[in-house]
Amino acid sequence: MHFSKLLTLTAATLAFAHPGEKHDHDAVKREIHLRDALAARAKQGVNACSNTQQAKQVQQRTISRRANTARELRAKRGITAASHKFRRNLAALEKWEAINHNKTSLVDFSPETSEADIFGANTSSILTPTITDGPYYVWGEVIRQNVVEEQYCDGVDVFLEVQYIDVNTCLPVQGALVDIWNANATGVYSGNYAADGWDSTYLRGIQETDEDGVVTFSTIFPGHYDGRATHTHLLTHLNSTINRNNGTLEVGTGSVAHIGQLFWNEVLRTAVENTYPYTTNTQDVTSNADDMWSVLQASSDYDPFPEFLYLGDRIEDGLFAWIQIGINTTADYTDNSYYSIAAYYDETGGHENSDSAAMGGGSGSGGAPSGAMSSGAAPTGAMPSASASA
């Protein structure tokens, strides 16, 4: 948990904050039908290649990596307590929420416990590439693994591992540059409505996938805001280059191979939001059942809920979460209606995109983060290098 300054929005500010995500519902329906057809085709490809020797080797490395990560995270935090048994309601609202993604009770290994049972699950053969990036996507965020800054990042720590697999080959997607961004505990994104405007960068960053198609981020569990279920944004670039002057993504390079959102089940969200500073979030909660994107995203071909475990015996000790995402590396969603750049970030700071469709991108009932205004300090530390390969 981090404890940093919180600023309260005034009533006047709330009236203008986060005007919402809007999309034509008929267009959304058409996109969903197209998505389902593409996903069915992609799933056939995955089924055809998943039993190859190379794919099996990737899976074995994945199991070992996740097991080692969990141990290292616990050791780093000095956690020796038995893991908390997290109970779920298997009659949950969503079909995919009824799957027990929680691996907390299995974190203490024994000779009888198979690591494959804990860390082998791949929750999505393909995660839909046409879920909106929403009205807060910033091109050119800083290349960094830890997106938690000194201010405005209070919350439950989440170490998130995302593995990208090419649905055509079942092999890892190496050299992809992956954006992550989500709201803070009080439901406010860095960016336009934060105190530092587009110069704020908290809870945003980019990492490059390694030889196993993996990126990891140290972040926090996102806060909720009115009109949207709790979610984390991901966006994947191929063949993009890095601006060596400031360690950010070079404007206008490469393709957009995937646009997605991760959702978090209701029982886990409730447990998190019983802790500070989530308890100070006064916005209305939107469940997964009431959020059109999570409902439409979850199907027999997609599971947008990451696997997770408690690192200790209480939620405040943090979470390790993981998900595998299948993408079509030949796809490019740069011209898709759901791809909307709200601003650009470069060596001189953040700049609003005057050509953007304002707050377009996405749907919902007009989600409006209120709660605590955030400013976010500039990132500290040296910018790590990253290759420009794809």
Side-chain angles (χ1 to χ4, degrees), residues 44-224:
Q44 290 175 354
V46 169
N47 291 339
C49 64
S50 60
N51 288 321
T52 66
Q53 188 61 33
Q54 284 179 299
K56 289 179 180 178
Q57 290 172 350
V58 169
Q59 178 65 358
Q60 286 303 312
R61 291 197 301 273
T62 295
I63 292 169
S64 297
R65 182 186 60 254
R66 291 170 179 168
N68 289 334
T69 297
R71 293 190 184 100
E72 289 170 1
L73 288 170
R74 284 168 55 84
K76 184 178 179 180
R77 287 161 172 75
I79 297 172
T80 58
S83 180
H84 171 58
K85 174 71 175 177
F86 185 64
R87 300 185 183 278
R88 294 202 47 167
N89 174 14
L90 296 182
L93 292 173
E94 300 303 326
K95 174 175 60 177
W96 285 110
E97 284 218 1
I99 295 176
N100 190 353
H101 296 83
N102 186 7
K103 306 298 181 180
T104 297
S105 61
L106 300 177
V107 72
D108 293 321
F109 302 108
S110 71
E112 292 76 35
T113 303
S114 167
E115 289 183 346
D117 290 339
I118 307 169
F119 298 107
N122 296 315
T123 59
S124 180
S125 61
I126 180 172
L127 191 67
T128 173
T130 52
I131 288 295
T132 175
D133 66 2
Y136 301 104
Y137 172 62
V138 177
W139 177 288
E141 290 293 351
V142 176
I143 311 298
R144 56 180 179 174
Q145 187 274 335
N146 186 353
V147 300
V148 177
E149 297 184 359
E150 184 177 350
Q151 292 185 308
Y152 313 113
C153 293
D154 307 29
V156 172
D157 290 325
V158 175
F159 187 90
L160 177 65
E161 177 199 285
V162 186
Q163 183 177 36
Y164 288 87
I165 299 294
D166 187 336
V167 296
N168 299 302
T169 65
C170 292
L171 297 179
V173 180
Q174 301 181 34
L177 292 166
V178 180
D179 275 276
I180 190 172
W181 70 102
N182 58 254
N184 71 0
T186 53
V188 181
Y189 288 90
S190 59
N192 51 353
Y193 294 105
D196 289 342
W198 293 116
D199 288 334
S200 63
T201 57
Y202 64 85
L203 302 179
R204 295 179 184 266
I206 299 176
Q207 278 286 281
E208 183 179 16
T209 57
D210 63 16
E211 64 274 9
D212 278 333
V214 172
V215 289
T216 61
F217 290 99
S218 295
T219 183
I220 67 166
F221 193 90
H224 71 267

Side-chain angles (χ1 to χ4, degrees), residues 268-297:
L268 176 61
R269 180 187 57 75
T270 300
V272 170
E273 293 191 340
N274 282 332
T275 68
Y276 178 84
Y278 299 91
T279 50
T280 68
N281 188 342
T282 60
Q283 300 184 75
D284 291 337
V285 173
T286 299
S287 70
N288 286 318
D290 291 332
D291 180 287
M292 72 171 297
W293 290 114
S294 63
V295 172
L296 292 176
Q297 189 169 25

